[in-house]
């Protein structure tokens, strides 16, 4: 299976409180089926990340091209602490990925979890 590079920016809301030591997970998920949980296809996990209001965070990961008849989308979570981690920010709008080719310049706006 051919892999490709996916990169872009995670956009943090202006009301995001400054924090450090966070875990940021950018995931590519197979979202082809509606009645079952999505399947993790690829991920980038960044540890010890510091954030500030209105900041952008760069991401880059390698992921397979989308097989025929399947759909892949990006999902993002920003968490604080250990087990169980506290969810601070997440992506709430689906970011579908085209089947082939490298992707750069993607922008995903994150939303506060609470």
């Amino acid at each position: 299976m051919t892999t490709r590079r996916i990169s872009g920016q995670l956009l943090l809301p202006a009301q995001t409180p400054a924090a450090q030591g966070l875990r940021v997970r950018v995931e590519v998920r197979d979202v082809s089926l509606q009645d079952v949980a999505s399947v993790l296809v690829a991920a980038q996990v960044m540890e010890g990340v510091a954030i500030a209001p209105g900041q952008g965070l760069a991401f880059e990961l390698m992921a397979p091209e989308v097989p025929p008849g399947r759909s892949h989308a990006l999902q993002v979570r920003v968490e604080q602490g250990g087990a169980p981690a506290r969810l601070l920010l997440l992506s709430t709008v689906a970011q579908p990925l085209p089947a082939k080719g490298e992707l750069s310049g993607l922008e995903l706006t994150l939303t506060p979890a609470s």
Side-chain angles (χ1 to χ4, degrees):
M1 183 173 284
T2 304
T3 60
R4 69 225 176 113
R5 182 178 325 278
I6 299 171
S7 63
Q9 290 281 319
L10 306 176
L11 306 177
L12 306 181
Q15 72 271 25
T16 300
Q20 53 189 341
L22 305 179
R23 177 183 309 113
V24 178
R25 292 185 57 87
V26 180
E27 300 177 339
V28 175
R29 294 194 156 265
D30 185 332
V31 294
S32 303
L33 303 175
Q34 294 181 2
D35 294 337
V36 297
S38 62
V39 175
L40 181 64
V41 175
Q44 176 191 24
V45 179
M46 298 176 274
E47 299 281 353
V49 176
I51 61 172
Q55 176 186 6
L57 293 173
F59 72 91
E60 179 176 294
L61 69 155
M62 298 300 290
E65 291 186 339
V66 182
R70 307 303 289 184
S71 299
H72 289 180
L74 285 175
Q75 177 182 354
V76 180
R77 297 173 62 88
V78 178
E79 301 170 331
Q80 184 174 42
R86 185 172 73 114
L87 182 62
L88 298 178
L89 301 162
L90 71 160
S91 55
T92 58
V93 176
Q95 175 65 57
L97 299 176
K100 297 180 187 265
E102 293 199 1
L103 301 170
S104 62
L106 292 176
E107 292 186 341
L108 284 86
T109 300
L110 302 183
T111 302
S114 55

